[in-house]
Amino acid sequence: MVTSSSQSRAITLMVGLPHLRSGPLLARARSLALPVLVSANAFSRWVDARQGREWAGWKLQGLKHAAGLHSLCLDSAGFSAMARYGGFPWTIDDYVALASAYPFRWWASLDYCVEQEVARDREEVLDRIARTVRANIECHARAVDRNIASTFLPVIQGRLPQDYERCATALAGLVERHTLIGVGSMCRRPIHGDAGLIAVVDHLDRVLPPAVRLHLCGVKGAAIPFLKPFARRVASIDSQAYGIAARSKARAHGCRKSDDLVADEMERWVEQQLARLRQPARSLPIAAPAIASPLRFDPWQEAIAQAREDLRALIESGDLDHDALVTGWVEQWAADLMHPEA
Protein backbone atom coordinates (compact mmCIF):
# COMPACT_ATOMS: atom_id res chain seq x y z
CA MET A 1 0.00 0.00 0.00
CA VAL A 2 1.31 3.45 -0.91
CA THR A 3 1.31 5.73 2.13
CA SER A 4 2.95 8.77 3.68
CA SER A 5 3.15 9.02 7.45
CA SER A 6 3.04 12.08 9.67
CA GLN A 7 2.28 12.21 13.36
CA SER A 8 1.68 8.40 13.27
CA ARG A 9 -1.04 8.75 10.61
CA ALA A 10 -0.82 7.94 6.93
CA ILE A 11 -2.07 9.19 3.57
CA THR A 12 -3.05 6.32 1.30
CA LEU A 13 -2.79 6.68 -2.47
CA MET A 14 -5.66 5.06 -4.38
CA VAL A 15 -5.60 4.53 -8.13
CA GLY A 16 -8.71 5.08 -10.19
CA LEU A 17 -9.35 2.44 -12.85
CA PRO A 18 -11.56 3.08 -15.90
CA HIS A 19 -12.88 -0.50 -15.87
CA LEU A 20 -12.48 -3.92 -14.24
CA ARG A 21 -11.93 -5.95 -17.40
CA SER A 22 -9.48 -8.80 -17.07
CA GLY A 23 -6.22 -7.73 -18.70
CA PRO A 24 -2.89 -5.96 -18.23
CA LEU A 25 -4.25 -2.86 -16.48
CA LEU A 26 -6.09 -4.77 -13.78
CA ALA A 27 -3.21 -7.24 -13.47
CA ARG A 28 -0.76 -4.38 -12.94
CA ALA A 29 -2.92 -2.82 -10.23
CA ARG A 30 -3.10 -6.23 -8.55
CA SER A 31 0.65 -6.81 -8.76
CA LEU A 32 1.38 -3.36 -7.31
CA ALA A 33 -1.01 -4.03 -4.40
CA LEU A 34 -2.76 -0.74 -5.05
CA PRO A 35 -6.04 0.20 -3.41
CA VAL A 36 -8.40 0.69 -6.36
CA LEU A 37 -11.32 3.07 -6.92
CA VAL A 38 -13.78 2.48 -9.74
CA SER A 39 -16.60 4.72 -10.98
CA ALA A 40 -20.22 3.61 -11.14
CA ASN A 41 -20.16 4.63 -14.79
CA ALA A 42 -17.74 1.77 -15.49
CA PHE A 43 -20.65 -0.61 -14.89
CA SER A 44 -23.24 1.26 -16.97
CA ARG A 45 -25.17 -0.61 -19.64
CA TRP A 46 -26.63 1.41 -22.51
CA VAL A 47 -29.11 0.50 -25.24
CA ASP A 48 -30.15 2.28 -28.42
CA ALA A 49 -33.58 3.89 -28.32
CA ARG A 50 -35.60 6.30 -30.45
CA GLN A 51 -34.39 9.29 -28.46
CA GLY A 52 -30.77 8.10 -28.53
CA ARG A 53 -28.89 5.92 -26.10
CA GLU A 54 -30.67 5.07 -22.85
CA TRP A 55 -29.22 3.85 -19.59
CA ALA A 56 -30.37 0.26 -19.02
CA GLY A 57 -28.87 -0.85 -15.71
CA TRP A 58 -25.59 -2.29 -14.54
CA LYS A 59 -23.14 -4.76 -16.03
CA LEU A 60 -21.79 -6.59 -13.01
CA GLN A 61 -19.60 -9.19 -14.69
CA GLY A 62 -16.46 -7.09 -14.11
CA LEU A 63 -16.81 -7.45 -10.35
CA LYS A 64 -15.71 -11.08 -10.56
CA HIS A 65 -12.31 -9.84 -11.79
CA ALA A 66 -11.74 -7.83 -8.60
CA ALA A 67 -10.47 -10.88 -6.71
CA GLY A 68 -6.91 -10.39 -5.50
CA LEU A 69 -6.99 -6.60 -5.48
CA HIS A 70 -5.68 -4.90 -2.36
CA SER A 71 -9.14 -3.30 -1.96
CA LEU A 72 -11.92 -1.89 -4.12
CA CYS A 73 -13.97 1.26 -3.54
CA LEU A 74 -16.88 2.73 -5.52
CA ASP A 75 -17.46 6.32 -6.63
CA SER A 76 -20.82 7.68 -7.82
CA ALA A 77 -19.36 9.27 -11.00
CA GLY A 78 -20.81 12.67 -10.13
CA PHE A 79 -18.71 14.83 -12.45
CA SER A 80 -18.80 12.37 -15.34
CA ALA A 81 -22.57 12.07 -15.08
CA MET A 82 -23.05 15.84 -15.09
CA ALA A 83 -20.53 16.52 -17.86
CA ARG A 84 -21.62 13.66 -20.16
CA TYR A 85 -25.32 13.27 -19.49
CA GLY A 86 -26.40 16.50 -17.78
CA GLY A 87 -27.35 14.56 -14.65
CA PHE A 88 -27.42 11.09 -13.17
CA PRO A 89 -29.02 8.59 -15.55
CA TRP A 90 -29.54 6.24 -12.60
CA THR A 91 -31.60 6.72 -9.44
CA ILE A 92 -30.39 6.53 -5.87
CA ASP A 93 -32.05 3.11 -5.61
CA ASP A 94 -30.14 1.97 -8.71
CA TYR A 95 -26.85 3.24 -7.31
CA VAL A 96 -27.28 1.66 -3.87
CA ALA A 97 -28.19 -1.62 -5.58
CA LEU A 98 -24.80 -1.47 -7.31
CA ALA A 99 -23.08 -0.68 -4.01
CA SER A 100 -24.67 -3.79 -2.50
CA ALA A 101 -23.50 -6.05 -5.35
CA TYR A 102 -19.93 -6.35 -4.01
CA PRO A 103 -18.20 -6.00 -0.61
CA PHE A 104 -16.60 -2.64 -1.43
CA ARG A 105 -14.16 -1.31 1.15
CA TRP A 106 -16.31 1.81 0.97
CA TRP A 107 -18.78 3.28 -1.48
CA ALA A 108 -19.24 7.02 -1.80
CA SER A 109 -22.58 8.78 -1.57
CA LEU A 110 -24.13 10.08 -4.73
CA ASP A 111 -23.30 13.81 -4.77
CA TYR A 112 -23.74 16.94 -6.92
CA CYS A 113 -20.38 18.36 -7.96
CA VAL A 114 -19.86 22.12 -8.23
CA GLU A 115 -16.98 22.53 -10.70
CA GLN A 116 -17.18 25.66 -12.84
CA GLU A 117 -18.20 23.62 -15.89
CA VAL A 118 -21.27 22.40 -14.01
CA ALA A 119 -22.21 25.18 -11.55
CA ARG A 120 -21.65 28.49 -13.27
CA ASP A 121 -22.81 30.88 -10.54
CA ARG A 122 -23.04 31.15 -6.77
CA GLU A 123 -26.72 30.26 -6.57
CA GLU A 124 -26.19 27.05 -8.52
CA VAL A 125 -23.32 26.09 -6.20
CA LEU A 126 -25.58 26.49 -3.16
CA ASP A 127 -28.41 24.61 -4.89
CA ARG A 128 -26.13 21.67 -5.59
CA ILE A 129 -24.84 21.63 -2.02
CA ALA A 130 -28.46 21.29 -0.84
CA ARG A 131 -29.00 18.41 -3.27
CA THR A 132 -25.80 16.77 -2.07
CA VAL A 133 -27.02 16.93 1.53
CA ARG A 134 -30.29 15.25 0.61
CA ALA A 135 -28.57 12.63 -1.58
CA ASN A 136 -26.32 11.65 1.33
CA ILE A 137 -29.30 11.24 3.64
CA GLU A 138 -31.22 9.15 1.12
CA CYS A 139 -28.23 6.98 0.19
CA HIS A 140 -27.61 6.26 3.86
CA ALA A 141 -31.27 5.39 4.50
CA ARG A 142 -31.21 2.86 1.66
CA ALA A 143 -27.86 1.55 2.85
CA VAL A 144 -29.42 0.80 6.23
CA ASP A 145 -32.19 -1.13 4.46
CA ARG A 146 -29.61 -3.21 2.56
CA ASN A 147 -27.32 -3.65 5.57
CA ILE A 148 -24.35 -1.88 3.92
CA ALA A 149 -24.35 1.32 6.01
CA SER A 150 -21.04 0.41 7.64
CA THR A 151 -19.22 0.89 4.31
CA PHE A 152 -21.05 4.09 3.32
CA LEU A 153 -18.85 7.16 2.69
CA PRO A 154 -20.59 10.52 3.16
CA VAL A 155 -19.46 13.11 0.60
CA ILE A 156 -19.41 16.86 1.11
CA GLN A 157 -19.34 19.46 -1.65
CA GLY A 158 -18.44 23.11 -2.05
CA ARG A 159 -16.67 25.80 -4.02
CA LEU A 160 -15.37 27.83 -1.04
CA PRO A 161 -13.91 26.35 2.15
CA GLN A 162 -16.95 27.59 4.07
CA ASP A 163 -19.25 25.75 1.65
CA TYR A 164 -17.78 22.43 2.73
CA GLU A 165 -18.33 23.37 6.36
CA ARG A 166 -21.96 24.23 5.54
CA CYS A 167 -22.42 20.82 3.90
CA ALA A 168 -20.69 18.95 6.74
CA THR A 169 -22.77 20.80 9.34
CA ALA A 170 -25.98 19.77 7.57
CA LEU A 171 -24.70 16.17 7.65
CA ALA A 172 -23.28 16.33 11.17
CA GLY A 173 -24.86 13.06 12.31
CA LEU A 174 -23.51 11.09 9.35
CA VAL A 175 -20.10 12.76 9.52
CA GLU A 176 -19.58 11.92 13.18
CA ARG A 177 -20.94 8.39 12.79
CA HIS A 178 -18.72 7.38 9.87
CA THR A 179 -15.49 9.28 10.75
CA LEU A 180 -14.27 9.03 7.12
CA ILE A 181 -15.87 11.43 4.64
CA GLY A 182 -15.25 12.22 1.00
CA VAL A 183 -14.43 15.73 -0.19
CA GLY A 184 -15.66 16.34 -3.73
CA SER A 185 -14.85 18.82 -6.51
CA MET A 186 -11.09 18.53 -5.94
CA CYS A 187 -9.76 17.40 -9.32
CA ARG A 188 -9.93 20.74 -11.16
CA ARG A 189 -9.15 22.87 -8.13
CA PRO A 190 -5.82 24.74 -7.87
CA ILE A 191 -3.54 23.89 -4.98
CA HIS A 192 -3.00 27.51 -3.95
CA GLY A 193 -5.37 30.37 -3.26
CA ASP A 194 -8.21 31.27 -0.93
CA ALA A 195 -10.42 28.58 -2.46
CA GLY A 196 -7.58 26.22 -3.33
CA LEU A 197 -7.25 22.61 -2.26
CA ILE A 198 -5.02 23.36 0.73
CA ALA A 199 -7.30 26.18 1.92
CA VAL A 200 -10.23 23.74 1.88
CA VAL A 201 -8.32 21.05 3.77
CA ASP A 202 -7.00 23.57 6.29
CA HIS A 203 -10.50 24.93 6.95
CA LEU A 204 -11.98 21.46 7.39
CA ASP A 205 -9.11 20.56 9.70
CA ARG A 206 -10.08 23.51 11.89
CA VAL A 207 -13.83 22.86 12.05
CA LEU A 208 -14.36 19.08 11.92
CA PRO A 209 -14.33 16.81 14.98
CA PRO A 210 -10.83 15.44 15.65
CA ALA A 211 -11.74 11.84 14.82
CA VAL A 212 -13.07 12.62 11.34
CA ARG A 213 -10.66 11.92 8.47
CA LEU A 214 -10.90 12.89 4.81
CA HIS A 215 -10.76 11.14 1.48
CA LEU A 216 -9.91 13.73 -1.19
CA CYS A 217 -11.39 12.91 -4.59
CA GLY A 218 -9.21 13.37 -7.67
CA VAL A 219 -6.20 15.14 -6.16
CA LYS A 220 -3.30 16.32 -8.33
CA GLY A 221 0.01 14.63 -7.50
CA ALA A 222 1.70 18.02 -7.14
CA ALA A 223 -0.47 18.63 -4.06
CA ILE A 224 0.97 15.70 -2.10
CA PRO A 225 3.86 17.53 -0.36
CA PHE A 226 1.43 20.26 0.73
CA LEU A 227 -0.98 17.65 2.12
CA LYS A 228 1.64 15.91 4.25
CA PRO A 229 1.27 18.40 7.15
CA PHE A 230 -2.40 17.27 7.27
CA ALA A 231 -1.66 13.53 7.32
CA ARG A 232 -3.43 13.21 10.67
CA ARG A 233 -6.57 14.48 8.91
CA VAL A 234 -6.23 13.23 5.29
CA ALA A 235 -6.70 9.47 5.17
CA SER A 236 -6.48 8.97 1.41
CA ILE A 237 -6.48 10.53 -2.04
CA ASP A 238 -7.35 9.11 -5.44
CA SER A 239 -6.50 9.97 -9.01
CA GLN A 240 -6.73 8.63 -12.55
CA ALA A 241 -4.40 11.29 -13.96
CA TYR A 242 -2.18 8.67 -15.59
CA GLY A 243 -4.95 8.16 -18.16
CA ILE A 244 -4.34 11.64 -19.57
CA ALA A 245 -0.64 10.89 -19.96
CA ALA A 246 -1.48 7.60 -21.68
CA ARG A 247 -3.81 9.36 -24.12
CA SER A 248 -1.15 11.96 -24.95
CA LYS A 249 1.51 9.30 -25.45
CA ALA A 250 -0.73 7.25 -27.74
CA ARG A 251 -1.51 10.34 -29.81
CA ALA A 252 2.16 11.31 -30.04
CA HIS A 253 3.17 7.84 -31.21
CA GLY A 254 0.20 7.38 -33.51
CA CYS A 255 -0.94 4.22 -31.74
CA ARG A 256 -4.06 3.16 -29.90
CA LYS A 257 -4.38 3.64 -26.15
CA SER A 258 -4.09 -0.04 -25.26
CA ASP A 259 -4.35 -1.42 -21.75
CA ASP A 260 -0.66 -2.34 -21.93
CA LEU A 261 0.25 1.29 -22.60
CA VAL A 262 -2.10 2.54 -19.88
CA ALA A 263 -0.69 0.02 -17.39
CA ASP A 264 2.85 1.24 -18.07
CA GLU A 265 1.78 4.86 -17.59
CA MET A 266 -0.05 3.94 -14.39
CA GLU A 267 3.05 2.29 -12.93
CA ARG A 268 5.21 5.26 -13.94
CA TRP A 269 2.66 7.62 -12.37
CA VAL A 270 2.62 5.61 -9.13
CA GLU A 271 6.41 5.82 -8.94
CA GLN A 272 6.17 9.61 -9.30
CA GLN A 273 3.65 9.80 -6.48
CA LEU A 274 5.84 7.58 -4.31
CA ALA A 275 8.67 10.05 -4.85
CA ARG A 276 6.37 12.91 -3.84
CA LEU A 277 5.30 11.03 -0.72
CA ARG A 278 8.98 10.85 0.24
CA GLN A 279 9.49 14.58 -0.24
CA PRO A 280 9.62 16.84 2.83
CA ALA A 281 6.31 18.31 3.87
CA ARG A 282 5.61 21.77 2.50
CA SER A 283 3.28 24.41 3.92
CA LEU A 284 1.29 27.22 2.37
CA PRO A 285 0.23 30.43 4.10
CA ILE A 286 -3.52 30.28 4.66
CA ALA A 287 -5.49 33.49 4.84
CA ALA A 288 -9.05 32.68 3.91
CA PRO A 289 -11.06 35.91 3.72
CA ALA A 290 -14.37 36.42 5.44
CA ILE A 291 -17.24 35.89 3.03
CA ALA A 292 -19.43 38.96 2.79
CA SER A 293 -23.00 38.60 1.60
CA PRO A 294 -23.72 40.65 -1.53
CA LEU A 295 -25.75 43.79 -0.95
CA ARG A 296 -29.29 43.59 -2.26
CA PHE A 297 -31.48 46.64 -2.58
CA ASP A 298 -34.17 45.34 -4.90
CA PRO A 299 -37.05 43.88 -2.82
CA TRP A 300 -37.83 41.38 -5.56
CA GLN A 301 -34.22 40.14 -5.68
CA GLU A 302 -34.19 39.97 -1.88
CA ALA A 303 -37.35 37.86 -1.97
CA ILE A 304 -35.85 35.57 -4.59
CA ALA A 305 -32.73 35.11 -2.45
CA GLN A 306 -34.85 34.22 0.58
CA ALA A 307 -37.00 31.89 -1.52
CA ARG A 308 -33.95 30.00 -2.71
CA GLU A 309 -32.71 29.57 0.85
CA ASP A 310 -36.13 28.30 1.95
CA LEU A 311 -36.32 25.85 -0.95
CA ARG A 312 -32.80 24.57 -0.25
CA ALA A 313 -33.82 23.92 3.34
CA LEU A 314 -36.84 21.96 2.11
CA ILE A 315 -34.65 19.90 -0.24
CA GLU A 316 -32.23 19.07 2.57
CA SER A 317 -35.13 18.05 4.84
CA GLY A 318 -36.65 15.85 2.16
CA ASP A 319 -39.85 17.91 1.87
CA LEU A 320 -39.08 18.89 -1.72
CA ASP A 321 -37.74 16.87 -4.63
CA HIS A 322 -34.01 17.19 -5.51
CA ASP A 323 -34.68 18.68 -8.91
CA ALA A 324 -37.46 21.07 -7.91
CA LEU A 325 -35.14 24.03 -7.31
CA VAL A 326 -35.81 25.68 -10.65
CA THR A 327 -36.80 29.16 -11.74
CA GLY A 328 -40.56 28.60 -11.71
CA TRP A 329 -40.56 27.37 -8.12
CA VAL A 330 -38.25 30.16 -6.97
CA GLU A 331 -40.27 32.95 -8.56
CA GLN A 332 -43.59 31.62 -7.24
CA TRP A 333 -42.11 31.24 -3.76
CA ALA A 334 -40.68 34.77 -3.91
CA ALA A 335 -44.07 36.15 -5.01
CA ASP A 336 -45.70 34.43 -2.02
CA LEU A 337 -43.10 35.94 0.30
CA MET A 338 -43.76 39.45 -1.02
CA HIS A 339 -47.55 39.11 -1.12
CA PRO A 340 -48.53 36.55 1.54
CA GLU A 341 -52.13 37.74 1.46
CA ALA A 342 -52.54 36.80 -2.22
Side-chain angles (χ1 to χ4, degrees):
M1 187 192 310
V2 182
T3 61
S4 167
S5 61
S6 172
Q7 298 183 4
S8 74
R9 304 308 293 263
I11 296 175
T12 296
L13 175 66
M14 302 177 67
V15 61
L17 291 185
H19 58 74
L20 289 180
R21 292 193 297 270
S22 181
L25 181 59
L26 190 61
R28 194 74 58 89
R30 189 180 289 113
S31 69
L32 294 172
L34 295 171
V36 168
L37 177 71
V38 67
S39 164
N41 205 36
F43 302 102
S44 285
R45 182 166 60 88
W46 296 86
V47 296
D48 293 328
R50 289 185 177 181
Q51 304 301 320
R53 298 177 72 217
E54 288 185 357
W55 187 80
W58 306 115
K59 300 179 295 184
L60 301 179
Q61 298 92 330
L63 289 171
K64 67 184 179 182
H65 300 139
L69 289 175
H70 173 278
S71 60
L72 182 64
C73 297
L74 177 68
D75 177 72
S76 71
F79 181 79
S80 295
M82 300 304 157
R84 293 185 186 181
Y85 318 127
F88 287 104
W90 48 83
T91 67
I92 288 178
D93 284 324
D94 293 326
Y95 177 60
V96 178
L98 172 61
S100 68
Y102 184 85
F104 293 101
R105 178 183 177 187
W106 53 251
W107 56 280
S109 176
L110 185 149
D111 64 297
Y112 289 80
C113 61
V114 300
E115 280 90 346
Q116 186 65 43
E117 300 95 319
V118 174
R120 299 183 182 277
D121 59 42
R122 184 68 186 153
E123 296 295 347
E124 180 65 15
V125 169
L126 295 175
D127 292 352
R128 296 180 73 81
I129 291 172
R131 293 174 184 177
T132 293
V133 169
R134 192 63 215 167
N136 273 267
I137 293 169
E138 293 188 10
C139 280
H140 183 264
R142 287 159 176 78
V144 171
D145 293 340
R146 289 180 174 266
N147 200 31
I148 56 171
S150 63
T151 53
F152 173 67
L153 181 80
V155 177
I156 58 175
Q157 277 290 353
R159 180 74 61 77
L160 303 172
Q162 292 82 357
D163 292 340
Y164 288 97
E165 179 183 1
R166 172 183 178 137
C167 196
T169 298
L171 294 169
L174 288 180
V175 168
E176 293 178 5
R177 185 179 308 138
H178 289 273
T179 67
L180 177 68
I181 64 174
V183 184
S185 296
M186 292 279 104
C187 60
R188 285 165 169 74
R189 186 180 297 270
I191 299 171
H192 307 74
D194 294 341
L197 186 150
I198 300 304
V200 170
V201 173
D202 179 78
H203 186 78
L204 289 173
D205 187 39
R206 295 172 189 272
V207 301
L208 289 176
V212 175
R213 302 194 75 199
L214 308 176
H215 172 78
L216 307 182
C217 305
V219 169
K220 299 179 180 71
I224 288 175
F226 299 100
L227 288 173
K228 288 182 70 173
F230 300 97
R232 70 191 183 284
R233 180 68 79 175
V234 178
S236 52
I237 60 177
D238 72 72
S239 179
Q240 196 178 324
Y242 64 87
I244 299 173
R247 187 181 304 114
S248 298
K249 187 170 184 177
R251 188 181 298 115
H253 289 80
C255 61
R256 72 184 187 90
K257 195 180 82 170
S258 67
D259 267 10
D260 283 298
L261 186 151
V262 176
D264 289 341
E265 287 302 315
M266 180 180 72
E267 184 165 1
R268 186 174 296 109
W269 175 84
V270 168
E271 291 172 353
Q272 291 173 345
Q273 310 324 306
L274 278 170
R276 284 170 164 151
L277 286 167
R278 292 191 292 266
Q279 290 178 11
R282 300 179 64 185
S283 298
L284 287 177
I286 305 295
I291 306 301
S293 298
L295 295 176
R296 298 187 179 96
F297 300 102
D298 184 335
W300 175 246
Q301 293 301 319
E302 187 70 39
I304 287 178
Q306 184 59 55
R308 297 191 78 102
E309 284 298 314
D310 292 346
L311 290 170
R312 288 176 192 128
L314 288 174
I315 286 175
E316 292 180 11
S317 69
D319 292 330
L320 195 64
D321 184 77
H322 281 207
D323 299 319
L325 196 53
V326 294
T327 302
W329 277 85
V330 172
E331 291 184 351
Q332 181 58 54
W333 198 280
D336 291 345
L337 285 173
M338 292 189 70
H339 305 290
E341 69 285 352

